[in-house]
Amino acid sequence: METGPTITAMLADGPLEGKRVEAEVVEGRPPKTIDVPGDDVTFRYCLAEWVQAGQSAAYTFLYRVE
């Protein structure tokens, strides 16, 4: 299965602080939110700033996904 272009999501805080994950670009932009799996739980992160450039974007912790 082919995937589209990706960016590197840098997790700025929360339980996965410092981790980097790949996220698919949506309509040419980083996604507004991403769900990142932890050990036994998933965490939701939100784009830190609407204006970001380059191949990476910073994300801040929102909440644990039940």
Side-chain angles (χ1 to χ4, degrees), residues 11-55:
L11 309 181
D13 59 5
L16 302 176
E17 180 177 2
K19 186 172 181 173
R20 295 172 184 255
V21 296
E22 293 298 310
E24 283 192 49
V25 172
V26 178
E27 296 179 359
R29 304 177 130 192
K32 293 177 186 176
T33 62
I34 56 172
D35 290 344
V36 184
D39 290 332
D40 295 327
V41 67
T42 299
F43 301 101
R44 183 156 294 158
Y45 279 78
C46 177
L47 193 59
E49 295 180 26
W50 291 115
V51 178
Q52 299 202 34
Q55 298 299 316

